[in-house]
Amino acid sequence: MSAAAPSRWPAVRAAGIAAVLFVHGLATLPLPHSMRRASFDEPVAQEELSAQARLLRRIGVNVTTEELVDVMFRSGTAWVSVYNAVLKPLEPAFRITGTGQSWGLFTYPDTFPHQLIVEVRSSKSGPWVTLFAGLDPEHRWMRDVLAYRRVRGVYDGQTTKPGASWNNLTKWLARRAFTEDPAVQAVRISFRRFHTVKPGEPPDTTVEAQRHARTWARAQVMR
Amino acid sequence: MTWARWVQLWDRREDPVILAIIRILVAGVLLYDFLWIQHLGLVEALFTPQEGGGFPDVYGRSPVPELYRMLPGTAGTAFAVWTVMVVALLCFGVGFLTPLAGLIVVFTSAQLAMVLPLGDRGIDTLLRNVVLILSLSSCGRRLGVDGVLFGVRRLAPAWPRHLLILQLATMYFCAGIQKTALSWGPLGGFSALFLILQDPAIAAWRFDWLARWYPLTQLATVGTLIFEWSAGLVPLVYWFRDTRTAPGRLRAWFNTARPLRIWVALGVALHVGIACTMSLGIFPWAMLALYPAFVHPEELARALRARLRAR
């Protein structure tokens, strides 16, 4: 009786793992998946780029912030083309499994963060009363909900250019406020942007601003 | 490395008990997350299209997730999907029809990510990667109902644990090399963690008093970078361990000094620190749930035997 033929399974598995490692290896490369020229105009990007341009000038590379933006945008766009050519065909597989290898975690700490603020008022000309302000221990209305990571993603991810889900979130919050207190006639949800500076640097209040405010009247929401 | 060695590398066997422990921990963390969503009354808000009363603009994007191409965009659908997810996670956790339950978790989670992309974080992607690997492993045949139904396996392919190690090392290393903001380096005064802790959307508490402890945050910034960059050496540690009989001072040092233990301890400290200072939900706990991957089943067995002897 002859010995059993060696199984091909280990070799097939090893080939499969090699293919997966190759694809995911490419996906791990920290290359941009898309480029938007407008991203370079954000205050945090401008602050970072100005500092980098200053640094380059100090070591003898004479470059302005605008020139640096041009170089970065052009090289980034080139990388996007490479990414699209190699990994685009595999996108359906990544999409349907929700898998991926993008690990840019706290790449650029936000020096212009936004504080979410929820305010209500009981009459048309009455004063706005704060219900919630991010991290403010005295205004903690629905803190658990607003600090929950998926909800935080909805508002913190839209501080630059609020989309439909920002409107939907604010309307949903307004409905909760109207339901909880029948005296409330209007709800305003907005961000307060401020500038974080390092210890020892002079405080900068010039950029403080209320942004992306959405005001909802009871009649608009509780129909 | 020759092809034969590559095949042999991925054909090793070990007790799948570590994979089973990771399965239970990951399912537990995810189950907590989904039950917390229900507790906060957010199932409808997070997973129903805006037309049905939720946050997501599902039909305004292309492509529309398969879920809402096949089913109506109502709160009922959102609750049904949430229920499927919870049941699948329960099955995955107890190891009942583990591969099927795991695949349902992955595909359902992916659909929910498409429904509300802004609510889907890096940790969700990582956990889908991990659950997919675990679904293809024998983790349900150990410490699970599948073991009772189909027979316990005390020897199974080791590649899923090795892939998990590679995944963790890759994630940390890539996170490290992408921290290119000046605030992560000396030119920005290693101020990154100080700045992050001033962000009301991230910090768990007010840290405006932290300026007095600035050097401590600078030290923590440096520690984070060292930890993440050194993740690139993790595969090397395993390579040296695997070729311990080969010559070389570096190899000998790696095999005697056990740098992996120090690195893992740093990682635990990092995630406990994140849990105490940042409001990142399940992130630190989910990461720690994957750390058993760094323990070889034999090491666990030895530790348990020693503990029994000590009693």
Side-chain angles (χ1 to χ4, degrees):
Chain A
M1 205 163 93
S2 63
S7 167
R8 282 192 187 164
W9 174 235
V12 172
R13 180 173 52 208
I17 290 173
V20 167
L21 290 181
F22 175 72
V23 169
H24 279 259
L26 280 179
T28 57
L29 295 177
L31 310 175
H33 297 185
S34 64
M35 289 295 287
R36 258 185 351 109
R37 191 70 165 72
S39 310
F40 292 97
D41 297 332
E42 287 303 312
V44 65
Q46 279 294 317
E47 189 178 64
E48 187 71 26
L49 288 162
S50 305
Q52 288 182 7
R54 258 198 319 275
L55 176 71
L56 286 170
R57 283 196 295 273
R58 229 181 282 164
I59 58 169
V61 183
N62 207 7
V63 66
T64 64
T65 306
E66 290 70 32
E67 286 165 343
L68 190 60
V69 168
D70 271 345
V71 171
M72 287 191 162
F73 183 69
R74 268 187 279 122
S75 54
T77 308
W79 279 122
V80 169
S81 323
V82 173
Y83 178 88
N84 284 344
V86 180
L87 287 177
K88 201 86 176 172
L90 296 164
E91 244 173 32
F94 282 117
R95 183 182 162 276
I96 206 72
T97 54
T99 52
Q101 298 289 342
S102 293
W103 308 123
L105 310 173
F106 294 116
T107 307
Y108 287 91
D110 196 350
T111 45
F112 293 87
H114 289 71
Q115 181 186 33
L116 183 72
I117 294 174
V118 182
E119 299 160 295
V120 294
R121 69 178 176 191
S122 302
S123 64
K124 229 175 181 180
S125 55
W128 287 105
V129 176
T130 305
L131 285 186
F132 174 87
L135 284 191
D136 184 341
E138 285 171 16
H139 302 105
R140 296 169 55 89
W141 180 72
M142 292 201 25
R143 190 209 172 260
D144 283 347
V145 167
L146 291 168
Y148 176 58
R149 64 190 189 99
R150 291 179 198 261
V151 176
R152 180 175 62 83
V154 173
Y155 64 82
D156 198 37
Q158 301 199 71
T159 53
T160 306
K161 194 180 169 199
S165 48
W166 167 243
N167 282 337
N168 299 334
L169 168 68
T170 58
K171 192 174 180 181
W172 183 84
L173 285 170
R175 189 177 298 124
R176 292 283 286 250
F178 289 136
T179 308
E180 276 183 28
D181 186 352
V184 169
Q185 294 306 311
V187 179
R188 182 170 70 188
I189 297 126
S190 61
F191 291 114
R192 182 181 72 88
R193 187 177 73 175
F194 58 98
H195 188 190
T196 308
V197 293
K198 286 179 276 184
E201 290 181 355
D204 175 19
T205 52
T206 54
V207 295
E208 278 204 23
Q210 189 187 39
R211 306 184 79 201
H212 312 313
R214 297 287 184 274
T215 305
W216 296 96
R218 177 173 282 275
Q220 279 178 290
V221 176
M222 305 298 277
R223 271 178 283 190
Chain B
M1 180 183 275
T2 63
W3 175 247
R5 187 155 167 78
W6 178 258
V7 173
Q8 186 262 329
L9 180 70
W10 298 105
D11 194 33
R12 294 177 185 183
R13 312 264 145 172
E14 65 182 26
D15 187 340
V17 67
I18 296 291
L19 293 172
I21 291 170
I22 296 171
R23 183 198 82 224
I24 293 166
L25 293 175
V26 166
V29 169
L30 277 172
L31 204 51
Y32 168 82
D33 191 45
F34 276 84
L35 292 176
W36 187 239
I37 291 174
Q38 162 69 5
H39 172 75
L40 295 174
L42 285 170
V43 175
E44 181 183 343
L46 291 175
F47 304 133
T48 311
Q50 61 185 10
E51 291 78 0
F55 306 156
D57 176 24
V58 170
Y59 301 110
R61 276 181 280 116
S62 178
V64 173
E66 285 74 9
L67 170 66
Y68 285 120
R69 267 188 256 165
M70 294 187 282
L71 296 168
T74 61
T77 303
F79 274 104
V81 174
W82 176 87
T83 308
V84 166
M85 188 68 173
V86 168
V87 171
L89 281 169
L90 271 172
C91 291
F92 189 67
V94 300
F96 176 60
L97 302 178
T98 314
L100 178 66
L103 291 176
I104 292 173
V105 167
V106 170
F107 290 120
T108 310
S109 169
Q111 286 297 310
L112 295 178
M114 283 183 244
V115 169
L116 188 61
L118 287 168
D120 194 72
R121 321 301 294 172
I123 191 65
D124 297 295
T125 306
L126 180 69
L127 290 181
R128 282 191 290 273
N129 291 356
V130 167
V131 174
L132 193 58
I133 292 171
L134 290 176
S135 301
L136 302 173
S137 78
S138 302
C139 67
R141 304 283 283 271
R142 199 74 164 88
L143 310 180
V145 178
D146 285 348
V148 178
L149 295 177
F150 309 113
V152 173
R153 287 188 76 169
R154 293 194 185 274
L155 213 54
W159 65 264
R161 190 176 66 84
H162 296 160
L163 276 189
L164 291 184
I165 292 169
L166 205 53
Q167 173 66 87
L168 281 169
T170 304
M171 193 216 82
Y172 283 127
F173 182 65
C174 288
I177 57 169
Q178 287 181 76
K179 286 184 169 55
T180 48
L182 290 180
S183 55
W184 282 105
L187 296 165
F190 294 109
S191 57
L193 277 180
F194 173 82
L195 297 173
I196 289 168
L197 289 173
Q198 306 304 314
D199 189 335
I202 292 167
W205 325 96
R206 280 175 84 146
F207 282 103
D208 33 12
W209 49 268
L210 206 56
R212 275 179 286 155
W213 299 89
Y214 185 47
L216 210 62
T217 65
Q218 291 174 299
L219 199 65
T221 302
V222 175
T224 303
L225 278 185
I226 290 174
F227 170 75
E228 291 188 339
W229 286 344
S230 58
L233 296 174
V234 168
L236 190 68
V237 171
Y238 280 94
W239 174 251
F240 282 159
R241 195 185 274 188
D242 206 45
T243 54
R244 60 174 64 246
T245 51
R249 264 190 229 164
L250 191 65
R251 177 180 277 104
W253 180 82
F254 265 87
N255 283 322
T256 49
R258 309 272 181 117
L260 190 63
R261 287 187 184 185
I262 300 165
W263 186 81
V264 167
L266 264 176
V268 171
L270 173 82
H271 290 299
V272 170
I274 287 174
C276 295
T277 57
M278 296 182 197
S279 188
L280 298 183
I282 59 167
F283 173 73
W285 311 114
M287 291 305 301
L288 290 175
L290 306 179
Y291 271 45
F294 295 112
V295 181
H296 191 281
E298 263 306 305
E299 288 176 295
L300 179 69
R302 265 202 304 275
L304 288 175
R305 278 198 298 271
R307 193 163 184 139
L308 283 174
R309 270 201 304 274
R311 279 187 186 172

